[in-house]
Amino acid sequence: MVQRQKRLIAVTVAASVLVLTGCSGGGGETADVSFSDSPSGALAAWGFDNADDVGTSRLEYAEKQLSDVDIEIDQTAFDAQKFTTRVASGNVPDVVQMDRQFVGTYAAQGLITPLDECFATHGVDPDEQYYESVVDDVEWDDKVWGVPQFYQPPAIILNKRVMDAAGVTADQIDTSKPDVLLAAIGKMYTASGGNPTVLGFDSVGVNQAGLWLLGFGGEIMDDEGVPALDSPENARALDFLKQLFDAQGGYAKYRSFTDSFDAFGDNNPYVADQVAAQVNAQWYVNVLSPYVDEVQIEAVPFKNIEGEPFSVASGTAFVIPVGAKNADAACAWALELTSQDAWLAAGEARAATISDSPGAINTGLFTGSPAADEAIRDQFVKESGNAGFDQTIATFYEVVGEGESYGASAAGQEIQTELKNAVTSALLGDKSSEDALADAQDAAMRAYDKVVN
C-alpha cells in the first residue's frame, strides 16, 4: 500500500477556513466552508436509522459535548438517489452517514466537502486516529472526504461439531492452500439428491468477492481509483472460487440452499449444522452468542495467497455535502461521535445491555480506531467461560489490523456492481473468469470515464 505523507504537521486552535470550489447540482457555485472549535446553531443530520445501544449512547455523548448546537436527525436509511436529488436542489442536510464505498464517487462529482481542515481544526490526525485501511476508504485525490466509523473485519468461523465428525482440523481451513482446503471440503460436504445439505466451506463468493481478489494479490481499482478488474490475479481468484462452488454442487444449488438459511434465527446454520466453515464479518459472532450452548465454534483468519492473515475494511462514514448550512457543527458532531470517549460510552452501554441478558457474551466493538478498539477490549471484553467463543473473539481482534481498503474511486459503486455481475456470471459458468472480468472492466471504465471526463 502506498505510504501516505502525514497531512497534519501542526494544528492550531484558531479557526480554519476552507474555500471549496465545487460543482454541486445547484450550479457549481463557490462555497465558503468555515470550521471552528466552538460550533453553534442548528444542525440537520441524516443517519442512525434503527440505532441500537451503541448508536444512541454515542448520540447522547455528542449532544452533551455540543451544548450550543441544536441537533435534528433524519433517522432514515441512506438512499443514493435521494442524496443526489437533494444536493441538486440545494436542500441538503449538514451531515450525512453513508457506506464508505460511496465517498470517492461523491468526492469526484463535487457533491461533498473535503475534511482535512475539519480534522486539523479539532486536532485530529486521521492517520493516527483510524486504521490505515479505513482512512484509505475515504481518501481521494490526496484529500480526506469522510469521518469514518466502524470496521468489520472478516474471518472464518468454524463449526467444530461438523469438522470433528469429518476428521478435519482447523489448520486445514486455509485459504492460502487451495488444494488443502478443497480436500477438507470434500470430507465435510454432504448432499441429498444432488442438493447440498452441509457446506464444507461457505466462501460467500459474490458478496465477499473483493476479499478473495485482494487476497490473491489482485485489486479492484488502482491507487488513482481507476478500475483494475481484469488482472491475471483476479482471474486466478475467481477460478478458485468457482472450484469451491463446483466441489459443493455448483453455484446455483449453493444459492438455493443458502437462501433457505435462518441466518439470524434459532435455526441458524451453526445450530442446524448446515455449514462447517463460513467467511463472516465480526458482527456475526453477536448473532451466534445467544446460542452459546447450542453451537461449537472457533475461528481462523482468512489468509492471503502468501499465507498471512488478511482482512478488508468496511463500514460507514459521515460526509458534509456541498451547500451544507452548518458545516462547522457537522464537522464537530462527526468527530465527537467517533472520539474515543464516545466509543467508551458505547462500550459501557453495550456492557449494560449484556448484563441484562443472562449468558450473553461481550464480543467487543470494532470502531475503525485501533486505540478505541483496544480500550473497549481491555475494559469490557472478559473471558466468557466458553473457550470456543473466546478464541473466536480473539481471532477477530488479531486480524483487524491486517486490513486493506477496496480503494476509493470516482466510479466506486459502479466498479463494485460490475464486479458482482462478473463473479456471478463466472460462477454460473456463463463466461470464463477472464471474459467475465474483461467485460466488467470495460463497463466499469465507461462509468469511470463518464465521471472524470
Side-chain angles (χ1 to χ4, degrees):
M1 187 173 295
V2 175
Q3 179 66 32
R4 294 185 302 273
Q5 294 181 343
K6 290 292 184 182
R7 285 179 289 274
L8 305 176
I9 305 299
V11 175
T12 67
V13 296
S16 298
V17 177
L18 171 68
V19 177
L20 170 70
T21 303
C23 182
S24 74
E29 69 279 4
T30 298
D32 293 337
V33 182
S34 177
F35 299 114
S36 77
D37 58 1
S38 54
S40 61
L43 172 69
W46 180 12
F48 285 92
D49 56 306
N50 298 317
D52 59 6
D53 51 355
V54 172
T56 56
S57 58
R58 291 162 56 223
L59 287 170
E60 291 169 1
Y61 172 83
E63 186 174 8
K64 290 178 182 177
Q65 307 311 304
L66 301 173
S67 57
D68 292 331
V69 178
D70 182 17
I71 304 166
E72 292 189 9
I73 307 176
D74 173 2
Q75 292 187 253
T76 58
F78 176 77
D79 180 275
Q81 184 175 1
K82 179 180 175 182
F83 175 72
T84 53
T85 299
R86 292 186 69 173
V87 174
S89 70
N91 179 26
V92 295
D94 299 304
V95 59
V96 180
Q97 177 184 327
M98 63 176 62
D99 189 291
R100 292 201 289 267
Q101 291 185 29
F102 283 99
V103 173
T105 300
Y106 292 144
Q109 293 175 352
L111 302 183
I112 58 177
T113 302
L115 300 183
D116 299 84
E117 293 296 337
C118 161
F119 284 110
T121 297
H122 291 271
V124 176
D125 183 342
D127 290 327
E128 293 181 359
Q129 175 121 345
Y130 311 106
Y131 293 100
E132 181 179 1
S133 55
V134 170
V135 179
D136 286 345
D137 280 351
V138 294
E139 188 176 53
W140 182 81
D141 196 27
D142 296 324
K143 298 181 180 67
V144 179
W145 299 81
V147 177
Q149 62 169 359
F150 297 114
Y151 170 16
Q152 288 292 325
I156 302 167
I157 301 180
L158 310 177
N159 185 338
K160 290 293 290 178
R161 190 162 52 217
V162 174
M163 291 176 60
D164 290 347
V168 174
T169 55
D171 62 300
Q172 294 173 277
I173 310 301
D174 188 337
T175 52
S176 70
K177 298 177 179 178
D179 292 342
V180 173
L181 182 56
L182 283 166
I185 289 170
K187 294 179 180 180
M188 297 183 291
Y189 172 72
T190 63
S192 176
N195 297 310
T197 55
V198 178
L199 295 176
F201 182 77
D202 183 3
S203 64
V204 199
V206 174
N207 289 331
Q208 288 282 8
L211 172 68
W212 289 89
L213 269 57
L214 269 63
F216 268 65
E219 58 183 353
I220 297 173
M221 60 196 79
D222 67 17
D223 291 338
E224 302 301 319
V226 180
L229 296 175
D230 57 348
S231 71
E233 294 83 4
N234 288 349
R236 282 195 289 272
L238 191 45
D239 282 341
F240 180 56
L241 275 177
K242 190 171 189 307
Q243 281 186 280
L244 292 179
F245 285 104
D246 288 349
Q248 301 176 91
Y251 182 66
K253 291 181 178 180
Y254 159 86
R255 278 295 307 271
S256 179
F257 181 48
T258 56
D259 284 349
S260 72
F261 283 0
D262 183 22
F264 301 99
D266 294 341
N267 201 40
N268 67 68
Y270 287 85
V271 170
D273 290 336
Q274 294 170 310
V275 296
Q278 185 180 53
V279 177
N280 276 298
Q282 183 273 337
W283 56 260
Y284 198 69
V285 187
N286 292 303
V287 174
L288 296 178
S289 63
Y291 308 98
V292 61
D293 295 328
E294 301 174 61
V295 300
Q296 296 176 20
I297 66 168
E298 289 182 6
V300 294
F302 184 97
K303 293 181 180 179
N304 64 20
I305 203 64
E306 281 138 14
E308 301 166 338
F310 184 78
S311 177
V312 288
S314 63
T316 59
F318 299 102
V319 302
I320 300 177
V322 166
K325 296 179 178 64
N326 197 344
D328 187 21
C331 162
W333 188 70
L335 291 177
E336 291 291 357
L337 287 166
T338 58
S339 67
Q340 184 158 321
D341 286 342
W343 286 119
L344 285 172
E348 186 173 352
R350 176 54 55 85
T353 300
I354 290 170
S355 69
D356 292 336
S357 304
I361 296 174
N362 195 325
T363 66
L365 296 176
F366 286 69
T367 67
S369 168
D373 283 356
E374 284 304 314
I376 291 169
R377 185 183 189 185
D378 291 343
Q379 189 167 339
F380 301 110
V381 181
K382 310 301 180 184
E383 289 189 4
S384 68
N386 183 292
F389 266 87
D390 291 342
Q391 187 272 343
T392 299
I393 293 166
T395 298
F396 280 99
Y397 272 108
E398 289 164 8
V399 303
V400 69
E402 306 297 332
E404 286 191 18
S405 169
Y406 289 123
S409 173
Q413 282 297 301
E414 291 83 356
I415 295 171
Q416 292 289 342
T417 297
E418 294 304 331
L419 173 60
K420 288 183 178 182
N421 291 341
V423 173
T424 301
S425 178
L427 294 181
L428 287 171
D430 297 335
K431 298 178 183 178
S432 69
S433 297
E434 291 83 358
D435 287 346
L437 289 169
D439 290 345
Q441 175 70 7
D442 288 343
M445 279 303 305
R446 287 195 296 272
Y448 178 83
D449 289 339
K450 185 176 180 180
V451 175
V452 301
N453 294 329

